[in-house]
Amino acid sequence: MKTVRLPVPIVVVGNLIAGGAGKTPTVMAVVELLRSRGFTPGVISRGYGRQGDGVVDVSDDADARVVGDEPLLMRLRLRSPVVVGRDRVAAARELLRLHPSTDVIVSDDGLQHLRLPRDAQVLVFDQRGVGNGWLLPAGPLRERLPSSAPANSVVLYNSATPSTPLPGSLATTRLMGAVPLADWWAGIRASPAALEGLQHTPVIAAAGMAHPERFFETLRAAGLTIEPLPLPDHFDFATLPWPASAADVVITEKDAVKLAPTRIGTTRVWVVPLDFRLGAELERELLALLPSPSNRTTHGHPTS
């Protein structure tokens, strides 16, 4: 497919394997990196699982059912522009129209969206690597593993060790702490002390994600005694999945965006955000693929 050029650099964060490998936390870490280096980043995403596939600018009070849970989370966490749309090029153009100060766009997924240009790619793998090595539907791969990383690409492993032969960097993940659901919606940061306090009481750990066991293992490593409650990926929380009598429940931020504090009754629901780090070497490699913010006008391509 013909690539459509855009007037700002594009960073695509994607993976070769289907399912959650850690793209969303990688996108957020990339945005925070770019902002710390003087860029004004925006995000585009398909908004998987949402109602409709048109282009929508994500607001702070958006409905996760309309824009998707991960795009809403990114908007609330990053306070950066986020636009969703099945057509990533149309989403990028709308983002630039509505937010003209944006000088770099990070695409949440879109590795196989060939019309979308990219100045840099971050290929994310988790502990599964390439699974059985077969393409969908016989295996988990969207495309075959190349013999070497494609041009302008860096490789990130969201796992304890590299899971493919491609050279890359290891992400580091830790829990930032815990914060009551109502406080999380109010923008209050998670507290390590609150998380430590949960070590002294059994809690239900609910997670609507592709691989909830990863979240459960992180909680256990933090010293919590949990009753795991795995939920389908993008679970909509139309009904509460835990008993009304539950005392304490811990959830991810991805699930928090779909749960209003007025709906939880007497249960104490705690949000446990992740602190996801790319690593200094990958940060250097990624930044080397992009122009400096001061040079973006000479780097830019005319919109076609």
Side-chain angles (χ1 to χ4, degrees):
M1 299 181 68
K2 182 179 178 181
T3 299
V4 179
R5 303 305 298 176
L6 293 165
V8 300
I10 308 291
V11 179
V12 173
V13 176
N15 54 19
L16 306 185
I17 194 169
K23 290 189 302 295
T24 299
T26 302
V27 168
M28 292 195 289
V30 168
V31 168
E32 290 171 344
L33 168 66
L34 294 173
R35 184 184 289 135
S36 74
R37 297 304 192 273
F39 288 93
T40 303
V43 177
I44 57 173
S45 175
R46 178 176 180 175
Y48 183 82
R50 69 189 180 98
Q51 299 170 355
D53 56 13
V55 175
V56 180
D57 184 39
V58 180
S59 61
D60 290 350
D61 58 354
D63 187 333
R65 293 171 295 182
V66 175
V67 302
D69 49 15
E70 290 160 341
L72 180 55
L73 169 59
M74 289 187 287
R75 170 62 189 167
L76 294 174
R77 270 282 296 269
L78 298 171
R79 301 298 173 183
S80 292
V82 179
V83 173
V84 296
R86 182 171 184 172
D87 183 337
R88 303 302 203 293
V89 173
R93 285 174 166 161
E94 181 69 355
L95 190 153
L96 293 174
R97 184 183 74 83
L98 295 174
H99 309 279
S101 64
T102 301
D103 58 12
V104 62
I105 293 176
V106 182
S107 177
D108 175 23
D109 211 354
L111 194 63
Q112 291 78 31
H113 198 81
L114 301 182
R115 289 180 65 242
L116 183 70
R118 66 279 322 262
D119 296 75
Q121 298 183 143
V122 183
L123 307 184
V124 185
F125 295 93
D126 61 11
Q127 73 281 355
R128 296 171 295 163
V130 295
N132 63 7
W134 288 44
L135 295 173
L136 292 166
L141 289 181
R142 300 172 173 181
E143 59 180 279
R144 297 192 185 281
L145 181 73
S147 58
S148 60
N152 297 335
S153 297
V154 295
V155 177
L156 180 68
Y157 291 103
N158 182 23
S159 55
T161 58
S163 53
T164 82
L166 297 178
S169 301
L170 299 178
T172 57
T173 303
R174 66 178 181 88
L175 299 177
M176 296 174 64
V179 58
L181 179 64
D183 289 350
W184 181 84
W185 274 107
I188 298 174
R189 291 181 59 86
S191 161
L195 183 64
E196 292 174 6
L198 293 173
Q199 295 175 349
H200 308 298
T201 181
V203 299
I204 295 174
M209 55 196 303
H211 303 287
E213 187 57 36
R214 186 183 300 157
F215 178 58
F216 301 151
E217 289 174 356
T218 305
L219 293 172
R220 293 187 187 103
L224 272 65
T225 301
I226 66 169
E227 178 185 337
L229 180 58
L231 303 168
D233 196 12
H234 303 284
F235 183 74
D236 63 8
F237 285 87
T239 58
L240 295 180
W242 50 77
S245 59
D248 291 278
V249 174
V250 295
I251 61 174
T252 68
E253 289 187 299
K254 178 180 172 179
D255 291 326
V257 299
K258 294 169 287 189
L259 188 58
T262 55
R263 297 185 50 225
I264 61 176
T266 59
T267 300
R268 292 182 295 271
V269 176
W270 303 84
V271 184
V272 183
L274 291 178
D275 180 19
F276 188 92
R277 302 291 180 93
L278 301 173
E281 182 178 354
L282 186 139
E283 291 181 348
R284 286 193 297 270
E285 292 174 350
L286 180 59
L287 291 169
L289 297 173
L290 300 172
S292 67
S294 61
N295 293 335
R296 86 171 170 86
T297 54
T298 59
H299 171 84
H301 308 281
T303 303
S304 61

